[in-house]
Amino acid sequence: MSESASWMHIGLHGHSVGTFTAESRGIRWKSALNTDDDDNVILSRFIPYKSVTGGQWTVFGRSGHLRIQTIKEDTENNISEFRFDGFPPTDFDNLRSTLSKLYTIDVQKLPIDSSGTSFGLTNISTNGHLMFRECILDEDEEEGEEFEPRDGDEMMSMNLSEVGQCVMQGNTRNEIELQFHESDTVEAGTDQLVSIRFYVPPDPDADATDKDSPTPAEIFQQRILTVANIKNTAGNEIVQFTEAQGTFLTPRGRYKITLYDSHLRMHGNRYDYKIKYDDISRLFLLPRPDDVHMAFVIALDKPIR
């Protein structure tokens, strides 16, 4: 009889809680949600044993978190890392032993910095994850030399494929905001992270009067836009409207509008928005007060930010 082990009430990142089962054929997660057949909700995930390449374990509060690394091209939806939470912290040895026997991997403990530091060092990995690490400043032995920063423990990491928008905040050119897609596959009332801001200090040696050279924040923004594929839209383009035709009151400004099979995209000078047709609840065509022009109103279930 092949060995297997199961854990109940285990959450999968971006989804609800369910049952985590490790068996000889692979790792299976099944949602505890009861949904109709018409609901577009992922109820299960399966990771073939050949795709499992490693694991990392971290304890947050009273919950153990497990990251499973996989071979990207062989996994469902090209996901290179699956994240599970809700394991009892005391189950590490049992979990590590089970995964080692089934998939010949060694689950390592991953130290996480939780000191509350609000600054650190960023890095974008080859698999599209933005890593935010503790910044440790070592004083140089020679007098007058600057502090030399080095990487500390991980503070947080995120998959940039989950970023829906990356914009500059205000007119300082030093602060960017990452806005995330809201998941439809979590239980009602579950809190979701919708945005996070980074302040990127300007280059002290740069010319403050030079407005044409990009700031470190703008360079960082362009890297995120490229890796997150925000400006690239898959699908068949149906029709496109110019900026002259796309004058909006909310959000205010002119936007070029492109309609695709399942969504539309608004392209502005500073912002790009992607709106799924499923998120559109109503459409209104209303007369303006001058009785000449008409206002086209698009009502959304999920507001754009």
Side-chain angles (χ1 to χ4, degrees):
M1 181 179 293
S2 60
E3 183 177 349
S4 65
S6 296
W7 284 264
M8 305 287 289
H9 306 295
I10 302 301
L12 171 61
H13 174 68
H15 302 280
S16 61
V17 298
T19 301
F20 176 96
T21 303
E23 55 190 21
S24 59
R25 296 193 305 116
I27 296 174
R28 185 179 303 278
W29 176 86
K30 185 176 181 181
S31 172
L33 287 178
N34 294 319
T35 61
D36 298 327
D37 294 336
D38 294 335
D39 290 342
N40 185 24
V41 176
I42 295 176
L43 297 179
S44 64
R45 286 282 194 184
F46 180 72
I47 310 172
Y49 74 95
K50 292 182 179 180
S51 299
V52 180
T53 60
Q56 293 176 318
W57 170 269
T58 305
V59 174
F60 295 141
R62 300 180 179 179
S63 175
H65 294 239
L66 176 67
R67 300 181 186 181
I68 295 294
Q69 284 81 37
T70 60
I71 302 174
K72 190 172 184 179
E73 59 269 21
D74 291 341
T75 56
E76 196 173 342
N77 293 332
N78 288 332
I79 298 175
S80 59
E81 184 178 78
F82 291 82
R83 300 189 178 190
F84 303 91
D85 61 38
F87 293 94
T90 55
D91 279 13
F92 170 69
D93 291 335
N94 183 22
L95 183 65
R96 184 182 189 181
S97 174
T98 300
L99 298 184
S100 176
K101 291 178 181 178
L102 292 174
Y103 316 121
T104 321
I105 64 171
D106 185 21
V107 178
Q108 300 288 334
K109 288 187 176 182
L110 175 66
I112 297 290
D113 180 80
S114 57
S115 61
T117 305
S118 60
F119 64 92
L121 301 175
T122 58
N123 178 53
I124 298 178
S125 63
T126 54
N127 63 357
H129 279 75
L130 172 62
M131 193 78 67
F132 194 64
R133 291 186 175 276
E134 177 189 10
C135 177
I136 300 176
L137 299 176
D138 291 333
E139 187 174 2
D140 199 286
E141 295 180 356
E142 298 183 13
E143 187 176 354
E145 293 292 331
E146 296 181 353
F147 288 94
E148 185 66 26
R150 62 181 177 88
D151 284 347
D153 292 335
E154 177 184 323
M155 298 172 68
M156 69 173 184
S157 66
M158 63 190 73
N159 191 340
L160 290 179
S161 65
E162 299 174 356
V163 175
Q165 181 67 274
C166 179
V167 298
M168 302 295 297
Q169 287 295 321
N171 299 318
T172 64
R173 301 173 63 197
N174 296 322
E175 187 174 338
I176 63 173
E177 181 180 76
L178 274 63
Q179 301 173 359
F180 301 96
H181 301 295
E182 294 184 40
S183 175
D184 295 325
T185 58
V186 298
E187 296 176 280
T190 301
D191 293 332
Q192 297 186 56
L193 178 65
V194 296
S195 66
I196 187 171
R197 292 187 182 185
F198 289 102
Y199 173 77
V200 184
D203 185 352
D205 299 326
D207 184 1
T209 61
D210 185 4
K211 302 299 182 183
D212 296 328
S213 298
T215 64
E218 290 172 330
I219 295 174
F220 188 43
Q221 179 199 27
Q222 291 305 314
R223 289 185 61 200
I224 293 175
L225 290 173
T226 301
V227 175
N229 234 5
I230 292 175
K231 290 188 175 181
N232 295 335
T233 307
N236 298 320
E237 182 178 316
I238 299 174
V239 66
Q240 188 176 97
F241 300 95
T242 65
E243 290 184 355
Q245 297 170 302
T247 303
F248 284 79
L249 296 178
T250 305
R252 183 173 293 277
R254 294 183 177 271
Y255 293 86
K256 181 173 67 175
I257 307 169
T258 307
L259 302 184
Y260 295 88
D261 294 336
S262 60
H263 63 277
L264 65 88
R265 185 171 287 275
M266 298 165 56
H267 305 271
N269 292 330
R270 294 187 58 190
Y271 296 90
D272 282 359
Y273 296 106
K274 176 181 176 181
I275 301 175
K276 296 180 181 179
Y277 296 143
D278 291 341
D279 292 337
I280 298 177
S281 58
R282 290 179 178 83
L283 300 173
F284 300 96
L285 190 61
L286 305 173
R288 300 293 299 275
D290 57 11
D291 291 330
V292 176
H293 298 90
M294 303 292 289
F296 183 48
V297 180
I298 303 174
L300 303 175
D301 287 332
K302 295 180 180 178
I304 58 176
R305 298 182 298 278

